[in-house]
Every structure is written in structure tokens, then in C-alpha cells.
Amino acid sequence: MPDSTAPASWHVPLPHTAAAVPMARAAIRAALADTDDPADRDTAELLTAELVANAVRHTPGESRIELVVRLLPKQCRVEVHDADPEPPAALSPHAQEPDPGPWQEHGRGLLLIRALSSECGHRLTTWGKAVWFSLTVRS
């Protein structure tokens, strides 16, 4: 990971297909290649895959998706930008914890993001929204 206090950042346009998920995982793994703890990379990869899969699933097929990764000496912040301004309810500040049933196939991704990240949220952008999480990483 870079030693300077200036953040390293990447902006990666992603296709609006299922191929975006492995592309995003590879980008995160490359961005965090210099971290000392493989768990940091694994957690970042898992949470990024969840955000990208949600963007592909919940936005119109022709809309754009972008992965933004920012690295500071002790923090990684990942944002997934999409064209839908509707915020994910499960990441709102006063959101009630979703409780997916044991047979429900969906609904756990944002639970994982809330549980495993240092912080997470969403914000409006000029063309939609960004859903993000931060991790404290060991460099």
C-alpha cells in the first residue's frame, strides 16, 4: 500500500452484465495487493462483489456502473456508482436490520456490508448514486 498520505485512487468502468462482478473483484485484489493481511483483500473483494451485483441487478440494463477505489495508509474506501438515485434502504442511517428467512436466496448482501465494513452508506451523485464501504487495512 502507498506510504504517502495522498490517496491512491482508481475509477473502473464496468459492463452492465454479470461479468462486472469478477472484474470488480480482480480490481480490488490488485488495488490491495500490497496489504499485509489477506483477510483485508478477501473482505474487500466480497463486499465489492455484493455492491456490484446489486448495481447490475437493480438498475436498468443500459445504464452505466463504475467502481471507485481510494486507498489511504490505513483505509480502503470502495464506491459503486450507478444510475439509480434510489438509496438502498438497508444502508440508511436508521434502517432496521433486514431479516431474510433461511430459505430466502437474496437479502444478505447489505447485511454483510454493514457487519464487515468499518463504515458504509450511500450518497447521491450527478448521475445517480454511490453506495460505499470503508475498511481499516493493515499495510
Side-chain angles (χ1 to χ4, degrees):
M1 210 147 116
D3 291 328
S4 73
T5 57
S9 66
W10 294 265
H11 294 259
V12 181
L14 297 170
H16 199 287
T17 67
V21 175
M23 290 172 68
R25 285 195 311 253
I28 288 297
R29 189 150 292 276
L32 293 175
D34 293 336
T35 60
D36 291 337
D37 189 351
D40 292 335
R41 289 189 300 271
D42 293 342
T43 301
E45 191 176 337
L46 171 68
L47 300 184
T48 300
E50 289 296 334
L51 289 184
V52 172
N54 283 350
V56 170
R57 177 177 288 125
H58 298 294
T59 61
E62 65 281 350
S63 62
R64 118 188 192 203
I65 298 173
E66 183 179 47
L67 173 67
V68 177
V69 182
R70 290 189 179 87
L71 298 180
L72 293 166
K74 298 289 180 190
Q75 185 181 53
C76 169
R77 180 168 171 141
V78 176
E79 298 183 350
V80 175
H81 296 235
D82 65 47
D84 182 4
E86 187 67 31
L91 291 184
S92 296
H94 303 292
Q96 190 172 12
E97 285 280 331
D99 187 20
W103 304 110
Q104 188 174 340
E105 292 184 22
H106 302 288
R108 290 174 181 78
L110 295 178
L111 282 171
L112 286 171
I113 291 165
R114 287 174 63 173
L116 299 176
S117 66
S118 304
E119 55 184 343
C120 59
H122 56 84
R123 64 183 174 80
L124 292 175
T125 64
T126 56
W127 54 277
K129 72 173 173 302
V131 182
W132 60 271
F133 68 86
S134 293
L135 294 174
T136 301
V137 294
R138 289 178 250 171
S139 54

